Amino acid sequence: MSQVFSFSGNDDFYPGGRIYPNPKEPCLFLSLGRSVDYFPLQKRSRFSVPFDINREWFDEPKQKASIESLPDECLFEILRRLPVGQDRSVCASVSKRWLMLLSSICENENCNNGSTIGDNVVGDDDDEGFSNEGYLSRSLEGMKATDVRLAAIAVGTASRGGLGKLTIRGCNSDRGMTNVGLKAIAHGCPSLKVFSVFDVATIDDEGLIEIASGCHKLEKLDLCKCPNISDKTLIAISKKCPNLAELSIESCPNIGNEGLQAIGKLCSNLRSVSIKGCSGVGDQGVCGLMSSASYVLSKVKLESLMVSDLSLATIGHYGFQVTNLVLSDLPNVSEKGFWVMGNGRGLQKLNSITIECCQGLTDTGIEAIGKGCPNVKNFQLRKCAYLSDKGLVSLTRAALSIESLKLHECHRITQIGLFGVFFHCAAKLKVLTLISCYGIKDLEMDLPAISPSESFWSLTIRDCPGFGDANLALLGKLCPRLKHVELSGLQRVTDVGFLPLLECSETGLTTVNLRGCLNVTDRVVLSIVNSYGWTLQVLCLDGCTRVTDASMMAIAGNCPVLSDLDVSKCAITDTGIVALASGKQFNLEILSLAGCISVSDNSMAAFKKLGQSLAGLNIKRCSAISSRGVSKLQEHLWTCDILN
């Protein structure tokens, strides 16, 4: 009818000319009735023209109608009727508004997969082959972690196998992700099983509760440096994610005892718990968790917590299924806590234990642990200031199943405790690692009769300044089956100590690391390659400044399976590189020459030949190699990663 009022003789409306001489005559406001038939019916206009009360027409250009003028509620109803798959992905590319609306559609709000609208079946045969089992993995870091990207992930992965793993590391505080992005994941990714958030301060419980509500298949949750996450999140997870098997929380100050207690009571599949630097967690939370999940929990890590002896006593009593235990930086735990834990007799299945930076660990406590954990195989002790030779020997006497022992910065341990380990555990000990243990001195010792270990194969001694030739020669007699030898930063070790070790070895060495052994010469290298070149796979001579081209020539002719060679800062020249290139190194993949100042452009041809198998070449600080030479190497060895 508005078209009738506004008509003033335009032939586009009716070709017969004007109908009324005065289109503004008041009588035109009267109804014409159904019987009036002045002209044939025309197509209904798709445009509306504004009309004021004074019956004057605004002089505005007519605008085309757009779907964007629809409110969100109407557009949501349209979009949720699209089949999951390519159609939705295409529509998500239209605008940010469409993307966010599509990402807000929950699984139970989809009107497809056979549902009907009116008389039509909504669905797309092209999407029938897609599944939503959580095969895809996505990771966002820094500025890429935004709500829009999370929405795109939610829409894009829905029909391509489903999102199974999502990792978010940090975000831009100005335009970073918020709870809106997490809601998009919760609505569009019901298949999510692994969710990790690191250093994100812009989300809180609201977003994580949405994840719990929408992602019931969640099996692993990592929360690190999320200051706004509290017990509410853990309570929601415990109620709605029954499949949760791994939980890791770090530096989340608002998470406390209540959340851990809920996890312990309701998550019957919980296998692993790691809690670090959470100031709100105390004995009540740890004890509640351990006592409730005692028959399923197999891995426990407590680090930088203000718990007391009570927590360790609970672990010792309720840790029936615990196989891996890590206790680190627990300042309020005393000798009594470790003693009670060992005597609780609940850690019979414990296989691996690590104790770090715990001032309460003494000889008495370590002996109790050895007696209470008879099946432990891997023992790691770091920065245990009050642990001495007496405690170490008592441990090895009680825990006869130890296969791997690592001592790091335990300065009261001396060579007496070291050889006491072999006296009690020689039958099963396989791996020994000593790092920065300053109490070990290179002294002549009269050892009791100790049978050589037939199982021991790996020896690592790193940065122990007192360790020298005498100790190394004694170890050589006890370790005839060595395959892996690392003697790093031992400036007191010379050829005199290393050669007896080689002479006692009855099996082929596969890995030798002499990094920083300044007094080792070509004599040792020649002995290694001549005796064990046929099994040697990794050889590191970094910083052995007395090693020369003679060693390179020996390596070239005797090490056919060598894959990793490091001669950084050695006295190597072009002659050694040429010799190596003409040798039998069919499997050499990594070659490091960093700091070899005598290697020059004259080695280019040799490098090209070695490049047939090389995957990595380190020529940093090789000052005699020109920039032009480096460019040529990069051109010819395009499949090799060159560090210069």
Side-chain angles (χ1 to χ4, degrees):
M1 185 61 68
S2 61
Q3 296 289 345
V4 177
F5 296 152
S6 63
F7 185 75
S8 60
N10 191 329
D11 291 343
D12 290 341
F13 184 79
Y14 178 62
R18 290 193 178 187
I19 302 176
Y20 300 103
N22 183 9
K24 298 184 179 180
E25 186 175 342
C27 65
L28 294 180
F29 287 96
L30 300 176
S31 175
L32 296 177
R34 298 180 61 89
S35 60
V36 178
D37 188 12
Y38 298 105
F39 46 82
L41 293 175
Q42 301 293 317
K43 184 177 181 180
R44 182 178 179 181
S45 173
R46 295 181 180 270
F47 304 94
S48 60
V49 179
F51 176 75
D52 70 347
I53 193 168
N54 295 324
R55 296 170 293 178
E56 295 292 336
W57 307 100
F58 292 110
D59 187 16
E60 293 182 357
K62 297 179 180 179
Q63 297 180 353
K64 293 184 178 180
S66 170
I67 194 172
E68 288 294 337
S69 63
L70 290 175
D72 287 348
E73 293 79 5
C74 294
L75 189 55
F76 177 87
E77 289 298 323
I78 295 173
L79 294 177
R80 78 187 185 96
R81 284 163 169 76
L82 289 174
V84 176
Q86 185 177 3
D87 290 343
R88 288 198 178 185
S89 298
V90 172
C91 289
S93 304
V94 171
S95 66
K96 179 180 176 180
R97 179 192 178 203
W98 284 38
L99 171 62
M100 300 309 292
L101 282 174
L102 281 166
S103 66
S104 67
I105 301 174
C106 298
E107 186 178 24
N108 58 0
E109 293 175 332
N110 290 321
C111 289
N112 51 48
N113 299 327
S115 62
T116 60
I117 303 175
D119 296 330
N120 300 322
V121 178
V122 178
D124 193 342
D125 294 338
D126 294 338
D127 296 322
E128 290 181 357
F130 291 112
S131 60
N132 196 19
E133 297 298 327
Y135 300 120
L136 302 180
S137 175
R138 295 291 183 268
S139 178
L140 298 178
E141 297 187 15
M143 296 183 66
K144 294 182 179 180
T146 63
D147 290 338
V148 174
R149 287 184 180 270
L150 288 174
I153 289 174
V155 175
T157 60
S159 63
R160 291 170 174 80
L163 184 65
K165 180 179 180 181
L166 177 61
T167 301
I168 303 172
R169 294 181 178 274
C171 70
N172 187 343
S173 58
D174 295 331
R175 294 186 300 172
M177 60 168 286
T178 65
N179 294 327
V180 174
L182 294 186
K183 289 179 181 179
I185 295 296
H187 292 167
C189 305
S191 60
L192 187 65
K193 297 179 181 178
V194 179
F195 184 46
S196 303
V197 183
F198 300 90
D199 195 17
V200 180
T202 53
I203 61 173
D204 55 30
D205 292 325
E206 181 184 354
L208 269 297
I209 290 174
E210 288 285 343
I211 292 290
S213 300
C215 306
H216 302 297
K217 296 182 180 180
L218 194 66
E219 297 177 0
K220 181 178 180 180
L221 177 63
D222 292 340
L223 301 175
C224 177
K225 296 183 180 180
C226 299
N228 297 321
I229 302 300
S230 70
D231 286 332
K232 294 180 181 179
T233 290
L234 294 190
I235 293 173
I237 292 290
S238 66
K239 292 179 179 179
K240 299 179 180 180
C241 301
N243 295 328
L244 187 70
E246 298 183 39
L247 174 64
S248 176
I249 53 176
E250 177 180 348
S251 301
C252 297
N254 289 323
I255 291 181
N257 298 324
E258 186 179 356
L260 291 179
Q261 290 174 336
I263 290 290
K265 290 179 180 178
L266 300 178
C267 296
S268 58
N269 294 310
L270 192 65
R271 300 287 185 272
S272 173
V273 170
S274 175
I275 310 170
K276 178 181 178 181
C278 297
S279 56
V281 174
D283 290 326
Q284 187 178 1
V286 174
C287 294
L289 176 67
M290 288 300 305
S291 59
S292 299
S294 59
Y295 290 100
V296 292
L297 199 57
S298 61
K299 184 176 180 180
V300 178
K301 180 178 180 180
L302 304 179
E303 183 175 358
S304 302
L305 301 177
M306 302 306 293
V307 297
S308 68
D309 297 337
L310 181 60
S311 291
L312 266 65
T314 305
I315 292 174
H317 185 74
Y318 289 101
F320 306 123
Q321 300 297 326
V322 175
T323 59
N324 190 308
L325 177 62
V326 178
L327 304 173
S328 178
D329 191 16
L330 305 178
N332 291 341
V333 174
S334 67
E335 177 184 75
K336 180 180 179 181
F338 287 103
W339 186 87
V340 175
M341 184 180 75
N343 285 278
R345 303 298 179 181
L347 297 174
Q348 299 296 307
K349 293 186 177 182
L350 189 65
N351 179 72
S352 176
I353 182 171
T354 299
I355 303 176
E356 301 177 343
C357 306
C358 292
Q359 302 299 318
L361 183 66
T362 62
D363 294 340
T364 302
I366 200 71
E367 182 179 7
I369 293 174
K371 293 179 179 179
C373 310
N375 297 309
V376 66
K377 296 181 179 180
N378 302 308
F379 224 112
Q380 297 187 37
L381 301 172
R382 179 174 176 266
K383 290 187 177 181
C384 298
Y386 297 101
L387 178 65
S388 68
D389 292 334
K390 179 182 177 181
L392 183 61
V393 172
S394 299
L395 169 67
T396 55
R397 185 187 296 116
L400 299 178
S401 299
I402 294 180
E403 297 180 357
S404 176
L405 178 62
K406 181 177 180 180
L407 303 176
H408 189 181
E409 296 186 45
C410 296
H411 301 310
R412 296 186 66 185
I413 301 297
T414 70
Q415 61 275 10
I416 296 176
L418 173 62
F419 290 105
V421 171
F422 281 92
F423 184 81
H424 295 289
C425 297
K428 292 187 177 182
L429 189 64
K430 298 179 180 179
V431 179
L432 176 63
T433 301
L434 302 177
I435 301 176
S436 301
C437 294
Y438 295 162
I440 297 178
K441 307 297 182 182
D442 193 37
L443 302 175
E444 296 289 342
M445 295 178 58
D446 293 328
L447 295 178
I450 302 177
S451 301
S453 175
E454 296 297 325
S455 60
F456 191 80
W457 63 272
S458 177
L459 174 64
T460 298
I461 303 176
R462 188 185 308 157
D463 299 325
C464 297
F467 194 92
D469 292 336
N471 291 330
L472 192 58
L474 289 175
L475 282 177
K477 296 178 181 179
L478 301 176
C479 312
R481 300 286 181 180
L482 276 177
K483 294 183 178 180
H484 177 282
V485 177
E486 178 183 347
L487 305 174
S488 300
L490 306 183
Q491 298 184 10
R492 300 188 63 177
V493 171
T494 67
D495 297 350
V496 175
F498 200 86
L499 289 175
L501 179 71
L502 297 176
E503 293 172 357
C504 295
S505 181
E506 300 175 359
T507 57
L509 292 173
T510 59
T511 301
V512 177
N513 185 349
L514 303 177
R515 184 188 305 271
C517 294
L518 303 179
N519 295 313
V520 170
T521 68
D522 289 328
R523 186 182 175 190
V524 167
V525 179
L526 293 176
S527 178
I528 292 173
V529 299
N530 289 331
S531 301
Y532 310 107
W534 55 281
T535 60
L536 192 63
Q537 299 176 11
V538 178
L539 177 60
C540 179
L541 303 171
D542 182 8
C544 299
T545 56
R546 302 177 67 180
V547 172
T548 67
D549 291 336
S551 294
M552 296 291 279
M553 295 177 184
I555 292 171
N558 296 281
C559 301
V561 297
L562 187 67
S563 61
D564 190 336
L565 175 61
D566 189 346
V567 289
S568 300
K569 299 188 289 292
C570 294
I572 304 299
T573 68
D574 294 326
T575 303
I577 303 302
V578 172
L580 185 66
S582 61
K584 302 177 181 178
Q585 282 68 45
F586 305 111
N587 298 314
L588 189 62
E589 297 178 359
I590 306 296
L591 176 61
S592 181
L593 302 168
C596 295
I597 59 176
S598 297
V599 177
S600 68
D601 290 345
N602 295 329
S603 297
M604 291 299 110
F607 283 137
K608 292 178 183 178
K609 187 175 181 180
L610 289 169
Q612 297 176 3
S613 62
L614 281 181
L617 175 63
N618 187 352
I619 52 174
K620 287 185 174 181
R621 300 184 301 281
C622 293
S623 54
I625 299 179
S626 65
S627 57
R628 182 180 179 184
V630 174
S631 299
K632 287 185 177 181
L633 282 178
Q634 292 174 339
E635 178 182 353
H636 292 282
L637 306 182
W638 58 274
T639 60
C640 178
D641 185 12
I642 301 176
L643 300 178
N644 66 299

